[in-house]
Amino acid sequence: MALEFAVGEVAIEQNLKQFLLVLSVSLTVATLPQVFSWFRHIPYTLLLVIAGLGLALVDVRLVNLSPELILAIFLPPLLFEAAWNLKWSKLKQDFIPICLYAVIGVLISIAGVALGLNFLAGIPLTTALLVGASLSATDPVSVTALFRELGVDKRLTTLMEGESLFNDGMAVVAFSFLVALPLGKAQLGIQPVIVQLFTVVGVGLAVGGLIGFGISYLTQRFDLPLVEQSLTLVSAYGTYIIAEDLGGSGVIAVVTIGLILGNFGSRIGMNPRTRIIVSEFWEFLAFFVNSIVFLLIGDQVRFVDLAENLTIIAVAIAGMVLARAIAVYGLGFLSNRLANSNIPLPVQTILWWGGLRGSVSIALSLSVPSILSEREDLINTVFGVVLFTLLVQGLTTKPLLEKLQLLGEQPLRQQYLEFIARQTALKRVLEYLGKVEERPGLEPEFYRYQETLIKGELQRLEEQIDKLHNEYPNLRDFTAEQLRMELLSVEADTYAEFVRSGRLNQELAPLLEDVLEEGH
């Protein structure tokens, strides 16, 4: 007994050392862009993959990457954070194209990869279908991190994140059915597949909805930021586990509860200060988990195995890219015609090329039962394709955005908002300085000196803001839009305050939304 306890202690200590090593390396790499300006041209997630590849090249393995580790520990917080920040008002505007990409797009992706591997590489159809299913989900971890780094247009971000969040459930259902085929456990036929799909999706939606609305109304009863922050963390993991145990999709459950708490619960149950605390907590957690996941993806690569499967990987990449093009352009055309989605070709091009694969694809491939003889080839193929999407597509997405002129005025707007924030802050400082002018012990000369410094800085900022207005007239429209959003936020916060105090039973719909839209 004592020997077993000692062995357990050694194992815990070893795992802790490995975790600290992974954390130290990942955080060091993630901070490189802040130290060396050249690295700012590469999203930090891709820097982590490159660093992991460097470690793999010298055969330094930080930790064994298991599907359970990715799916149960890393995936819930990443999905929750992305859903928390996804605005329902924006999502519902493109709900039809997102659903088309997330459902039909997955089927097209599976078919494209599987047919290519079967006909061109001679891979058995059952194995080819599993590779296609593993690669059918555009990974929200990769996409969210990349596009936030690039600061692309909000609609493009919504389309990418919405598809990524919703198509995981479809991909997991398809993979679960296809992995049972070579084992002889699958029920062939349209009806069993449809029943399984509705069961998995339905249970996920039900669990996420019940827990999400329950926590939303619970947080109305108290105002404890740390407790509410902890509740969101527990709900992300708890929802995933409960949905999986009930035979549903944990991915869909987490996305559902994230959307509910981010768009509804945080409005009626949290005051503005608490919402900021919770949002910052999830921003940190997403950065923390992303740093570990992307480093480990690169670190798990075995170059010898990839070289042996290079032909198969090349065929899989070609099939994936072609199938993605058919899905994005074909379904985009269909959505534009039927739903007037008005998704322009440049946006569709980014949706096609920016459909990265990542941790979900790797987790699915690793979960293939070891009884299948083609398991290792399948895993190596998926790893090779994931690396291609992260390194080749990921590193060329920013130049493509610039080529298609889709970055727009995002950097300019960010600079403008920084000027406005500094101006507002300094005006408040000047106002506060006026209140303490008569404070005992304060020399008039010191007060006048501080006042002169602040006014001089304010004048400089005003000149910079006027210069931007004159050089870029479109900023005035952006300023008007910012004010409109601020007015809507003030109105929503007021309704939430009335609900929390018990003076209203439910939060009212924004009255100013239509009025301001007409004025705009």
Side-chain angles (χ1 to χ4, degrees), residues 216-239:
S216 297
Y217 288 109
L218 177 65
T219 52
Q220 283 185 268
R221 310 302 174 197
F222 52 80
D223 183 21
L224 300 170
L226 292 179
V227 173
E228 294 173 71
Q229 177 179 289
S230 302
L231 271 175
T232 60
L233 179 62
V234 172
S235 68
Y237 282 105
T239 301

Side-chain angles (χ1 to χ4, degrees), residues 63 86 149 163 169 178 181 202 206 245 279 283 318 324 330-331 366 445 467 511:
V63 68
L86 193 60
E149 279 290 316
E163 180 200 357
L178 293 172
L181 281 177
D245 287 345
S279 295
E283 183 180 356
R324 177 74 180 167
L331 296 176
L366 289 173
E445 292 79 8
K467 182 180 179 182
L511 177 65

